[in-house]
Amino acid sequence: MTAPFWTEGDPIADRAAPDGPIETRWERRKFAAKLVNPANRRKLTVIVIGTGLAGGSAAATLAEAGYRVRSYCYQDSPRRAHSIAAQGGINAAKNYRNDGDSIYRLFYDTVKGGDFRARESNVYRLAQVSVNIIDQCVAQGVPFAREYGGLLDNRSFGGTQVSRTFYARGQTGQQLLLGAYQAMERQIGLGNIEMFARHEMLELIVVDGRARGVVVRDLVTGEVSTDVADAVVLASGGYGNVFFLSTNAKGCNVTATWRAHRKGALFANPCYTQIHPTCIPESGTHQSKLTLMSESLRNDGRVWVPRRAEDCGKPAADIPEEDRDYYLERIYPSFGNLVPRDIASRAAKNVCDEGRGVGPGGLGVYLDFADAIQRLGRKAVEAKYGNLFEMYQRITGEDPYEVPMRIYPAVHYTMGGLWVDYDLQSTIPGLFVVGEANFSDHGANRLGASALMQGLADGYFVLPNTINHYLAAGPFDAVSPEDPAVVEARAQVEDRLARLLAVDGDRTVDSFHRELGHIMWEYCGMERTDEGLTKAIGLIRGLRDDFWTRVKVPGTGEQLNQNLEKAGRVADFFELAELMCIDALHRAESAGGHFRAESQTPDGEALRHDDEFSYVAAWEYGEVPTLHKEDLTFEYVHPSTRSYK
């Protein structure tokens, strides 16, 4: 089925990836790439959008190499990027525990964890580079947890049977971001990076088929301006806030990548969204976001629900051991509570659908640390998870040292993003995409502690080696502010802002966003169906039309106007949401975070159809989107039924 929702175009291929032995592909690609001599680097300018782990590390590394860098973020400081919220850890194939880990095993676990919907070349490179990240961060002074003897400590995350996750209590993202931030600030102090905080990218400037700049809005004064360069790097994060309620910061949005998509960058696998199994359950309609409880807690916490629905109203302490169902340990004995996120989330949904959920509305399961406290002692548990326990207590008013935590799945991460080749270049020459903003490494499901790994791998080690190849052809012809493409891009932004302000309707931006999020969670969330997705597309289109006739954006564009900021972002979410549902509708299989109810095994597990869907779905923007398929080939990790039992 295609019409009326999409058409199919020519296939697409990654022509930057070398062939031959996978172990040497990255080294051979680096050697084959053209270089830019140090004197010429000073003549080249790169714009970086976003200052999280991918953007901050990329900006710092490119500036250190001698390029002129201009960096933009919408936050009031680069260190406020959402990477700071990551809790649990970062993976690396160091094998410090001597438990059988290796680069190949990390590669294998990631391909399998992604349900065989990722490129082998990219994933193997990620595993190779992972070992360098830890050395880089330790040299920066990142305070990773250490064992009593002073050696770096590790813990386990979902989808693995080894301990390869390096961590800094429950605030690993913050410590890693501060490392990238201080490297970036050093380059700002040296004059190699110009930093523009409180600026939001609202359009990509494409001149003669190349990405040459951006249109930005100063969020304090409202001034719209243009900036041109030799290349543009997008490191603007994921799009989980399309669901309204997610673990993402409220400012996280899709606008930078969506504007690039509208200008010709293909968007890959938008339906691949990750639902994280350990989040604090929603407590009411007053909430504007949800809170993550780190996956690391599943190292020592045991997940359970009552065996009988009639016990769900009882306090946890009143339910005896024999009446508790430790369902992950029961269903998946090999991995237990550390199954991958998509599997743990669906299992939680299933027991709640059976009427055995706990807490308000029956939408929760217990994460219990009683055994860990008895086995290790309270002080040891505090040392590992103290800040997470404190956060939980502040939000819920319950003491997890005394009663089990209540958790429920929530939107957390997006595996989809702009399509990139092995060099991290999009289908627009000169536009590079790093971190969560691209689609490249995780397939249909990301393993825990791999987001930080990918962000820093892209920023510190991959992009600085591949962007050289493109920039070696520069400096490119200067682009004037009066160039027709620049003038047109700026006019598009100004017209769009004016249109949003002119509606002057009777509904708030947040009311539209919340309703859109409800549609997405209901029909494109943990379980999807042909009927539901078709209905969702109609609902989204109707709500989008309503938005453009009824939204109320008070104030003007020449001032600080957060309603105007949100309105622009929600307008882009409407278009993205429709494409997500179309992508989910076309992919009539279950894979990773994309679960189609029509495609499951007799025992309720995801059922892939490799003969039909072993490809990347790369979408071209249009009133009717066009699907371009990139076939996936597996030479090393052959697709099999993904089992964690």
Side-chain angles (χ1 to χ4, degrees):
M1 181 180 71
T2 55
F5 296 124
W6 74 90
T7 61
E8 189 162 334
D10 295 331
I12 189 171
D14 175 11
R15 305 194 187 283
D19 52 13
I22 199 169
E23 296 83 0
T24 60
R25 286 178 189 174
W26 177 227
E27 289 302 318
R28 286 185 284 116
R29 178 63 192 130
K30 285 192 291 183
F31 182 76
K34 296 175 183 176
L35 300 178
V36 182
N37 79 54
N40 286 341
R41 291 176 204 158
R42 294 191 292 271
K43 304 172 186 176
L44 293 161
T45 303
V46 180
I47 291 171
V48 181
I49 304 297
T51 57
L53 287 181
S57 59
T61 308
L62 292 172
E64 186 82 43
Y67 295 108
R68 295 178 302 185
V69 176
R70 288 199 287 275
S71 183
Y72 290 86
C73 69
Y74 64 78
Q75 295 91 349
D76 56 1
S77 165
R79 69 179 181 275
R80 296 294 295 275
H82 187 58
S83 298
I84 204 166
Q87 298 170 357
I90 178 171
N91 288 330
K94 287 285 199 181
N95 195 31
Y96 283 172
R97 289 291 184 91
N98 195 29
D99 56 0
D101 200 12
S102 64
I103 288 171
Y104 194 89
R105 186 173 294 280
L106 175 53
F107 160 63
Y108 172 86
D109 287 344
T110 305
V111 172
K112 177 185 174 184
D115 219 350
F116 306 96
R117 291 294 177 261
R119 292 186 192 139
E120 285 189 329
S121 292
N122 291 61
V123 176
Y124 194 89
R125 176 177 65 188
L126 179 64
Q128 283 179 300
V129 169
S130 71
V131 299
N132 305 122
I133 297 171
I134 303 304
D135 298 338
Q136 165 89 359
C137 294
V138 169
Q140 289 176 332
V142 172
F144 286 122
R146 294 178 182 268
E147 297 174 335
Y148 181 76
L151 299 176
L152 293 176
D153 196 13
N154 293 114
R155 57 189 177 197
S156 297
F157 261 59
T160 70
Q161 293 179 307
V162 297
S163 294
R164 65 162 67 101
T165 305
F166 295 77
Y167 65 98
R169 295 187 75 197
Q171 51 187 245
T172 313
Q174 179 180 11
Q175 299 305 324
L176 292 173
L177 184 61
L178 291 176
Y181 169 72
Q182 70 185 15
M184 192 177 171
E185 283 295 312
R186 177 173 176 269
Q187 294 303 318
I188 292 171
L190 293 172
N192 298 328
I193 297 178
E194 287 184 78
M195 183 68 232
F196 299 90
R198 303 302 299 275
H199 283 71
E200 183 172 24
M201 173 187 158
L202 296 180
E203 193 57 86
L204 180 71
I205 296 172
V206 179
V207 180
D208 297 330
R210 296 178 183 270
R212 293 301 306 273
V214 294
V215 182
V216 297
R217 179 173 179 267
D218 184 322
L219 299 183
V220 177
T221 68
E223 179 187 3
V224 175
S225 60
T226 59
D227 189 9
V228 296
D230 295 289
V232 177
V233 177
L234 292 187
S236 50
Y239 48 89
N241 273 348
V242 69
F243 290 88
F244 186 72
L245 287 178
S246 81
T247 66
N248 291 182
K250 284 300 293 177
C252 294
N253 63 83
V254 76
T255 291
T257 49
W258 193 255
R259 295 288 110 191
H261 174 54
R262 289 177 63 106
K263 282 292 177 76
L266 299 188
F267 206 113
N269 300 336
C271 77
Y272 286 164
T273 53
Q274 180 161 89
I275 313 293
H276 198 295
T278 51
C279 302
I280 297 178
E282 182 181 353
S283 60
T285 57
H286 62 282
Q287 275 185 269
S288 61
K289 76 177 301 295
L290 297 172
T291 304
L292 172 72
M293 286 284 101
S294 169
E295 181 168 318
S296 62
L297 294 169
R298 288 195 278 143
N299 271 275
D300 292 304
R302 299 180 70 193
V303 179
W304 65 275
V305 291
R307 289 189 181 276
R308 299 189 302 269
E310 53 266 30
D311 288 341
C312 292
K314 296 179 180 178
D318 292 348
I319 301 175
E321 190 72 18
E322 62 270 17
D323 291 336
R324 300 179 178 188
D325 180 12
Y326 295 91
Y327 59 89
L328 290 179
E329 298 173 25
R330 171 174 56 82
I331 302 171
Y332 307 102
S334 293
F335 284 75
N337 295 297
L338 286 175
V339 292
R341 293 173 177 178
D342 59 319
I343 290 174
S345 292
R346 283 198 296 275
K349 179 182 184 300
N350 290 340
V351 295
C352 290
D353 288 349
E354 292 170 7
R356 295 193 289 143
V358 298
L363 295 178
V365 300
Y366 287 127
L367 182 61
D368 198 336
F369 290 86
D371 287 355
I373 292 170
Q374 183 177 12
R375 183 178 76 253
L376 303 171
R378 175 165 172 156
K379 285 188 176 181
V381 173
E382 282 182 3
K384 285 184 174 183
Y385 311 117
N387 65 312
L388 299 172
F389 277 44
E390 181 183 354
M391 188 192 327
Y392 181 88
Q393 185 168 11
R394 287 186 177 186
I395 291 172
T396 66
E398 300 173 358
D399 183 357
Y401 293 106
E402 302 295 332
V403 297
M405 288 183 177
R406 285 180 296 106
I407 57 170
Y408 193 70
V411 174
H412 176 61
Y413 186 88
T414 52
M415 286 73 68
L418 291 185
W419 185 93
V420 292
D421 62 14
Y422 192 68
D423 287 353
L424 303 183
Q425 186 169 213
S426 74
T427 48
I428 301 176
L431 178 66
F432 293 79
V433 191
V434 294
E436 192 179 353
N438 75 31
F439 88 103
S440 66
D441 292 339
H442 305 297
N445 175 65
R446 177 177 67 76
L447 292 183
S450 288
L452 307 187
M453 175 174 63
Q454 186 211 345
L456 292 181
D458 286 357
Y460 280 137
F461 298 105
V462 180
L463 178 75
N465 281 294
T466 60
I467 200 172
N468 291 333
H469 186 74
Y470 176 80
L471 292 173
F476 302 102
D477 293 340
V479 176
S480 163
E482 286 73 44
D483 186 286
V486 178
V487 173
E488 180 186 10
R490 179 171 181 154
Q492 288 171 341
V493 169
E494 292 172 339
D495 291 349
R496 192 160 179 266
L497 294 172
R499 185 182 171 199
L500 287 166
L501 289 162
V503 176
D504 196 26
D506 59 355
R507 283 189 62 177
T508 65
V509 176
D510 276 352
S511 74
F512 280 105
H513 193 183
R514 186 183 291 275
E515 187 173 345
L516 173 65
H518 178 76
I519 293 169
M520 293 300 291
W521 180 252
E522 190 71 21
Y523 301 110
C524 197
M526 276 195 281
E527 184 173 297
R528 301 148 181 195
T529 65
D530 187 292
E531 180 184 0
L533 291 165
T534 303
K535 180 179 179 180
I537 293 168
L539 291 172
I540 291 165
R541 290 174 174 176
L543 188 62
R544 183 178 64 215
D545 292 343
D546 209 23
F547 173 85
W548 283 106
T549 56
R550 292 186 58 192
V551 71
K552 176 76 172 179
V553 182
T556 72
E558 290 76 42
Q559 63 180 140
L560 174 67
N561 189 339
Q562 291 185 317
N563 283 293
L564 181 58
E565 295 169 32
K566 288 192 288 187
R569 295 166 187 169
V570 172
D572 288 333
F573 277 141
F574 275 118
E575 296 183 8
L576 167 71
E578 182 176 334
L579 183 63
M580 289 172 66
C581 291
I582 291 172
D583 187 38
L585 182 63
H586 111 274
R587 192 173 284 276
E589 67 161 354
S590 295
H594 169 63
F595 188 79
R596 285 287 296 267
E598 304 94 337
S599 182
Q600 55 183 304
T601 64
D603 55 352
E605 300 291 348
L607 179 63
R608 296 193 322 270
H609 299 295
D610 294 336
D611 55 332
E612 297 179 71
F613 296 104
S614 188
Y615 60 78
V616 175
W619 295 91
E620 179 184 345
Y621 181 79
E623 188 171 334
V624 177
T626 301
L627 170 63
H628 301 272
K629 298 178 181 179
E630 179 201 338
D631 288 334
L632 294 169
T633 57
F634 296 92
E635 302 174 65
Y636 295 87
V637 184
H638 298 290
S640 59
T641 299
R642 194 172 60 136
S643 174
Y644 292 91
K645 294 184 177 182

